[in-house]
Amino acid sequence: MKKNQTQIKKYAAVISIFLAAVIVGLFVFFFCIKRSVEQRSKNTMRNNVVRQSEHLRTILDIQYDYLNGLTEEIGKTDHLLAKKNMDLIKSITKHTDFGGTALIEPNGDAHYDNGLIKNLSHRRYFKEVISGKRTLSDPLDSSISGSTRVVLGVPIYNSKHKVIGALGGSYDVTALSRMLFEDLFNGQGCSMIIAQNGEIIAFEGDTSYWNLDYRDNFYKCCCKWIIKDKVTVKKIKQDFKEGKENLVTADSKKEGTRRHYFAYMPMGANGWMLCYALPEQAAQQSYNFIEDYEISFMIVFIVLVTLLILYIVYENHTRNKELLKYAQTDALTGLYNKETTEQLTDELLSEDENKSHAFLILDVDCFKQINDIYGHAVGDIVLQKFGKLLKGTFREGDILGRIGGDEFGVIMKNIQTKDIAMKKAGELLAKTQAYRIDELKGNNISISIGISTAPQDGDCYMDLYKRADQALYQAKRSGKARVCNYFS
């Protein structure tokens, strides 16, 4: 009996030690997961802000290029305010994203598309543009729409390359900020464009939660009611002054809230910073299922340790596969999502530096009208069927991804010449126009395609994207339903 009791005690001691070791191991494991989740969520947020800042600069560059193209035509006329030129700026306002346009004389008199005349000689952006520089104005309040607008200005040269005036177009930065971040984290964060002095140029978010709004001073608001730690506020202020990108974690002064992430990135214009603020809980929301499993793991392990270990191994394996598949693909079309398309493209370009590849951006023409006329459900069907059409047109080894709402990207690997990509794009264009979608009730869709090639037009995804996007923009401007190459 004593021997059995001793044996039981030994077994109990071994099991107790084993259980204690595993419980400690689980606690360490969960702690590491928490740290990893925190780091990953920060990286995700930082990368989003970096990408959106680059996208914002690309959008502004495209608008500048468009205005420069128009000034070449305006500069050919004998008189800056010729009827042809005034009709042109009216057309710009009507058919582009510019909220208003104006021809500006060297004395500062601005002749707007709506007939108004105003002198801008005292404005900083006028002085810069009339000296031959393209410029971006300080924020202006629109009395009509109540929005925050900036003016993009480019000089107008005559045939002797002398500045004879300027072309200005107003742009809604609030709408631009909203467009960049509206799909991130279910809209729980707030996006801001902030000047070096802390003035909030554009703000999009819950003003009652963040206690911030347009024209507030971000630094002063932080010190009063947003961030507890003054050192963090000082760090943000210093980074803004030096134009450094960063992500800081700060405890909020708002009672009952957790920590917040503040990620920011220089815009590359006027010293402005693009900032995105988000509660830590929202940033880590996609990982919340891990916490739900922790308690179950501990309880079940005490009941049956061996089965629990096997279950954890099996469950983790299954979850990792599901998460990997979910993280890489677009749920609607089954193609790669934007992040995976970018990652695979960069990997391909770094591994095959001496081979030529084509990058195609495909955009469904007038897709908004499809949603407006037939509904978003039919719009989703159109995207699904177009995704299948892409799979049936390109090779199995090519990279196919959905990189925007109605925007798709294709990497054609190892092509000999750009003509091959043009031929394949033309084939897809014809297939798309002939493809019947019953839900559209006899109407067909069309697409516009922009093409860039590696390594001629770039050696990374972002460079190829910018070049192909410019070609796509040209295809849209040329009447849509066509293919355009990027020419450097």
Side-chain angles (χ1 to χ4, degrees), residues 112-325:
Y112 291 89
D113 59 277
N114 59 5
L116 292 177
I117 300 175
K118 185 178 180 181
N119 188 274
L120 306 176
S121 59
H122 62 289
R123 298 283 190 183
R124 172 190 60 80
Y125 68 86
F126 166 75
K127 297 176 182 178
E128 290 180 354
V129 74
I130 210 66
S131 68
K133 302 177 182 178
R134 77 177 192 182
T135 186
L136 184 68
S137 76
D138 295 325
L140 306 170
D141 296 330
S142 173
S143 59
I144 299 175
S145 65
S147 61
T148 307
R149 312 193 74 87
V150 292
V151 175
L152 281 68
V154 294
I156 301 173
Y157 296 92
N158 60 14
S159 59
K160 297 180 180 180
H161 205 67
K162 179 181 177 181
V163 177
I164 60 172
L167 175 62
S170 68
Y171 213 79
D172 187 348
V173 291
T174 303
L176 188 59
S177 174
R178 183 187 308 118
M179 177 189 71
L180 291 174
F181 291 100
E182 63 182 352
D183 294 330
L184 298 181
F185 303 105
N186 297 320
Q188 298 183 65
C190 75
S191 58
M192 294 168 277
I193 297 177
I194 305 175
Q196 279 188 346
N197 63 1
E199 180 184 3
I200 298 177
I201 297 168
F203 177 88
E204 179 61 28
D206 186 348
T207 56
S208 63
Y209 177 85
W210 292 99
N211 290 316
L212 290 171
D213 209 343
Y214 168 61
R215 290 295 190 184
D216 285 346
N217 186 283
F218 181 70
Y219 307 138
K220 293 181 180 179
C221 292
C222 283
C223 292
K224 285 183 179 179
W225 57 69
I226 299 178
I227 301 176
K228 289 182 178 180
D229 186 6
K230 293 183 179 180
V231 176
T232 302
V233 178
K234 186 177 180 181
K235 171 64 177 173
I236 294 175
K237 190 173 183 179
Q238 183 66 27
D239 286 342
F240 277 31
K241 181 179 180 180
E242 297 175 2
K244 292 171 57 178
E245 66 173 274
N246 203 350
L247 183 148
V248 299
T249 304
D251 291 326
S252 171
K253 292 182 177 180
K254 190 176 180 67
E255 185 178 355
T257 59
R258 297 183 179 179
R259 294 189 302 169
H260 291 75
Y261 294 157
F262 291 84
Y264 41 86
M265 175 82 182
M267 278 181 52
N270 293 354
W272 295 351
M273 301 290 286
L274 182 64
C275 179
Y276 190 65
L278 184 72
E280 182 186 51
Q281 185 178 10
Q284 299 181 9
Q285 190 171 9
S286 59
Y287 300 98
N288 284 348
F289 72 94
I290 296 177
E291 295 182 5
D292 297 335
Y293 280 117
E294 289 182 4
I295 298 175
S296 299
F297 285 162
M298 296 296 291
I299 296 175
V300 175
F301 181 79
I302 294 174
V303 176
L304 201 54
V305 63
T306 304
L307 290 179
L308 180 60
I309 292 174
L310 294 176
Y311 174 78
I312 292 174
V313 172
Y314 173 79
E315 187 70 7
N316 283 345
H317 177 70
T318 304
R319 287 284 178 181
N320 287 338
K321 288 178 64 177
E322 292 176 352
L323 288 174
L324 181 61
K325 181 179 179 181

Side-chain angles (χ1 to χ4, degrees), residues 326-388:
Y326 176 79
Q328 289 183 337
T329 58
D330 171 59
L332 182 63
T333 62
L335 305 176
Y336 289 122
N337 58 26
K338 180 182 178 181
E339 291 76 15
T340 305
T341 301
E342 180 175 351
Q343 178 184 348
L344 293 177
T345 301
D346 286 334
E347 290 176 356
L348 173 67
L349 296 177
S350 63
E351 293 171 358
D352 297 332
E353 296 179 349
N354 299 323
K355 296 181 180 180
S356 295
H357 312 284
F359 184 87
L360 287 71
I361 291 183
L362 311 97
D363 188 88
V364 180
D365 294 328
C366 303
F367 184 71
K368 184 178 184 300
Q369 294 181 13
I370 295 176
N371 280 334
D372 292 342
I373 296 173
Y374 301 100
H376 288 274
V378 173
D380 288 346
I381 292 174
V382 169
L383 295 178
Q384 286 176 330
K385 292 190 175 182
F386 181 68
K388 292 179 180 178

